[in-house]
Amino acid sequence: MGHHHHHHSHDHAATGADVPAALDLSVPDAELSGPEASRRSFLRNAGLLGAGAAATVLAGGHAAHAAPAADDETSAGGASTGDGEFVWLAGDHHIHTQYSSDAMYRVVDQAKHARAYGLDWIVITDHGNVTHSRIGVEKVNPDIVATRQEIKDLLIYQGLEWNIPSAEHGTVFVQPGPNEVAVLKQFETDYDGSVTGTSGPSPENEALAIAGIKFLGEEVRNRRIGGALFLANHPSRRGVDSPHEIRAWRDADPTVAVGMEGAPGHQASSLPAPNGPGRGRGYYEGSPSAASFPGYPLESYRTWGGFDWMTATVGGLWDSLLAEGKPWWISANSDSHINYLGTSMRGPNSDFNANGKYNDPVYGPLITTAGDFWPGQYSRTHVGAKAFGYRAVMDAIRAGRVWVDHGGLIRGLDMRVRRQGDQRPGAGATLGGTLKVKSGTSVVVTLDIDLATTPNWAQFVPQLARVDLIVGDVTGPVTDADTFTAPTARVAASFEVQPGRKRVSFSYPLGRVDRPMYIRVRGTDGNRSAPGLLGAAVDPAGPAMDVMGDADPWLDLWFYGNPIWVLPS
């Protein structure tokens, strides 16, 4: 699937949506038009009307990317006029350089490897801390600008890894422009938990995190920057991202807070010793602390098929957000600091605290115990952009047109939900989108998957063995913000993949739809499976919990797609 790069110069600011009259409870029933009155009645009967509904797909277009929708057609985020509309661009939003206290590579080193490993966009996310906010955020920018000039077919964003007050880490990045450094510097100085001493759990610190997200949204609306995005990184690693915090981040500004790492980086960390680090996959190897959310099970502190527990558990935390109708997307990335089988070491006589960076790396002894892969070497986040450009990639992420894979398991994914019998190419809603239909309309899911045909970076051609469709009802806003289960989510269908094919297609009828629902997809090489945490009736053959110190990432490959909603009215 070759890349068709179209450079474009017109970037328009995203605008928020007015709440539809049917959802605006300040408008009396008597003043609604006939269609609005019937819509309100439907939503009320389904328990989907009230606080929080306006920030969900039920509002008739995601708050993050609202646009008018034609009758019986897709709303914004999934609308497509044909197969050629999207340019699928692979990327990585979590990469460290010599400007991070625990990393070592130059920006250009990461960028050249990313391009060689097939990526189209990357985000440089050095750690937020006092030294970075004082020196690094400004000092790295000329390196990024120079690398943009050198590697013109790679989009390179400047961001940072935010120490979220009262929580874990997150990627924050902005659209390139004259104020990118100033906005990131102000954000880091005012809202980073390490800089402000607000890392511990407390309501005040949680409020500061919310204020930071709102600050980024205001900077966009004030046109200081063209766009800003936040994704929570390795959310289950320490158990400190509570469900209510995740919901609060998203609701603070859904145009900024859009998702989380479905799979963390550090995927080489579980390669067995002595040739590998022999640790937990993704460095997920801890246990609950005083700062952890007490409701999470012990199993949440490990990865499952390389994926975070929040994503890997059918009926778990990710599904609980989707069941509210809340767009919340997943990604995958390298979190590259120091890479497996690297041949370099930090430059001699480095003084990070004084200079905000390590000296340029030099050729050194073979490093065999590092836990990371280069960007694009193992993990990829694929976004369906309208063009090759900084704004277009951010818009695609915000819209949820995203699927992720490990080890090059598949080459391409086209998932659609469409009305039964609608065979037009590009019809219906795609990843991140919403299909609106009249109640009782027959709806079908279609999957077209381009299979791997050439060896990956471990020198074998991955074989997709099985594809699972996961379906859940949209039940509306939760009464308890710390909810992390979705009782209706389940694997609705599985498809076996015969070897030797280049492309496979499947369809699954959802029948006559009479209630709001969502559908998502995952696939596996079939090497390691186990019943899901919520039981075999929910997930008969999901990812298995990774074994500490003995989980070869290349022998347990998965892909995941973001959800599609169906809204009958």
Side-chain angles (χ1 to χ4, degrees):
M1 301 180 79
H3 300 302
H4 308 290
H5 291 169
H6 307 289
H7 292 274
H8 71 305
S9 57
H10 301 294
D11 279 336
H12 304 291
T15 55
D18 292 329
V19 177
L23 289 178
D24 185 352
L25 296 181
S26 67
V27 179
D29 288 7
E31 293 182 14
L32 295 176
S33 69
E36 291 168 339
S38 63
R39 184 175 184 203
R40 177 179 288 181
S41 173
F42 168 79
L43 293 170
R44 186 177 278 136
N45 291 340
L48 301 177
L49 194 61
T56 73
V57 296
L58 302 167
H62 308 163
H65 44 274
D71 287 344
D72 250 20
E73 270 305 336
T74 55
S75 71
S80 170
T81 55
D83 287 341
E85 181 172 359
F86 303 130
V87 185
W88 286 94
L89 303 173
D92 185 320
H93 73 72
H94 190 175
I95 298 168
H96 295 268
T97 73
Q98 65 196 125
Y99 295 89
S100 286
S101 61
D102 54 358
M104 61 183 277
Y105 304 116
R106 290 165 292 219
V107 172
V108 71
D109 299 329
Q110 294 285 29
K112 283 184 171 178
H113 280 87
R115 197 69 198 97
Y117 284 122
L119 297 190
D120 304 288
W121 59 272
I122 60 171
V123 186
I124 301 300
T125 55
D126 291 305
H127 289 286
N129 55 44
V130 172
T131 303
H132 185 260
S133 64
R134 183 170 55 88
I135 312 174
V137 69
E138 287 166 310
K139 216 168 181 179
V140 72
N141 184 261
D143 294 4
I144 291 174
V145 172
T147 307
R148 286 172 182 158
Q149 290 298 314
E150 182 176 344
I151 309 175
K152 288 190 164 55
D153 57 352
L154 180 71
L155 303 170
I156 308 171
Y157 296 87
Q158 182 167 349
L160 65 106
E161 185 161 26
W162 183 27
N163 297 290
I164 308 169
S166 187
E168 254 286 1
H169 299 160
T171 286
V172 166
F173 67 106
V174 300
Q175 186 176 321
N179 299 315
E180 61 185 325
V181 173
V183 169
L184 287 169
K185 187 179 178 81
Q186 185 179 349
F187 172 81
E188 186 175 359
T189 302
D190 293 350
Y191 301 105
D192 186 86
S194 177
V195 176
T196 58
T198 55
S199 294
S202 76
E204 295 78 14
N205 293 351
E206 290 184 16
L208 186 66
I210 291 168
I213 292 166
K214 289 184 173 179
F215 163 80
L216 292 170
E218 284 300 313
E219 294 296 274
V220 176
R221 281 182 282 280
N222 293 335
R223 298 182 184 273
R224 287 194 74 208
I225 46 175
L229 290 174
F230 155 64
L231 296 108
N233 293 342
H234 38 77
S236 294
R237 187 177 64 175
R238 296 190 298 120
V240 295
D241 289 2
S242 64
H244 73 263
E245 286 175 283
I246 294 173
R247 286 181 165 90
W249 301 334
R250 191 209 157 274
D251 293 347
D253 192 326
T255 70
V256 173
V258 296
M260 63 185 178
E261 288 182 356
H266 309 307
Q267 289 282 330
S269 59
S270 57
L271 282 163
N275 298 318
R279 294 180 57 181
R281 194 166 174 183
Y283 292 131
Y284 276 48
E285 50 194 18
S287 55
S289 70
S292 302
F293 175 67
Y296 289 149
L298 288 174
E299 292 92 341
S300 69
Y301 293 82
R302 300 290 180 269
T303 50
W304 295 73
F307 277 73
D308 187 280
W309 161 86
M310 292 184 183
T311 295
T313 301
V314 175
L317 189 139
W318 187 30
D319 282 318
S320 78
L321 289 161
L322 304 183
E324 287 192 82
K326 288 189 175 184
W328 189 251
W329 318 125
I330 61 162
S331 61
N333 47 65
S334 63
D335 198 356
S336 168
H337 286 69
I338 299 175
N339 297 326
Y340 182 61
L341 300 183
T343 54
S344 56
M345 56 191 290
R346 287 180 186 138
N349 306 313
S350 294
D351 187 340
F352 185 87
N353 288 333
N355 300 322
K357 62 179 285 195
Y358 291 105
N359 293 340
D360 288 354
V362 297
Y363 179 71
L366 190 70
I367 298 169
T368 58
T369 55
D372 304 342
F373 289 116
W374 289 103
Q377 187 180 4
Y378 182 76
S379 302
R380 297 178 301 173
T381 295
H382 307 259
V383 303
K386 297 285 182 71
F388 179 82
Y390 286 101
R391 180 54 188 256
V393 167
M394 295 182 84
D395 285 348
I397 294 171
R398 198 176 286 112
R401 285 192 301 272
V402 178
W403 61 273
V404 304
D405 79 298
H406 280 164
L409 179 58
I410 60 174
R411 284 185 302 122
L413 170 67
D414 188 327
M415 178 174 169
R416 307 250 162 198
V417 179
R418 57 181 92 202
R419 281 167 294 171
Q420 188 84 41
D422 188 349
Q423 300 298 324
R424 295 172 299 157
T430 189
L431 301 175
T434 302
L435 181 72
K436 294 176 167 184
V437 294
K438 291 183 173 63
S439 186
T441 302
S442 292
V443 172
V444 64
V445 183
T446 60
L447 285 167
D448 294 295
I449 302 171
D450 293 315
L451 302 177
T453 54
T454 57
N456 59 20
W457 299 110
Q459 286 75 59
F460 68 91
V461 180
Q463 301 289 322
L464 180 68
R466 194 187 75 244
V467 177
D468 299 323
L469 279 180
I470 294 149
V471 176
D473 290 342
V474 176
T475 48
V478 293
T479 53
D480 178 1
D482 278 322
T483 298
F484 60 88
T485 57
T488 68
R490 62 187 171 84
V491 174
S494 293
F495 305 99
E496 301 295 322
V497 179
Q498 301 306 316
R501 311 278 296 282
K502 290 186 177 181
R503 183 178 171 93
V504 290
S505 298
F506 305 107
S507 66
Y508 176 72
L510 292 170
R512 293 184 177 276
V513 178
D514 59 2
R515 64 190 187 280
M517 65 172 64
Y518 67 90
I519 304 95
R520 61 182 181 88
V521 67
R522 73 179 183 203
T524 174
D525 60 6
N527 286 336
R528 291 187 78 240
S529 290
L533 267 180
L534 300 182
V538 172
D539 186 7
M545 188 162 74
D546 289 311
V547 178
M548 288 285 288
D550 188 12
D552 186 330
W554 295 100
L555 301 181
D556 187 12
L557 302 179
W558 293 79
F559 82 82
Y560 283 72
N562 275 300
I564 303 172
W565 280 271
V566 181
L567 296 185
S569 61

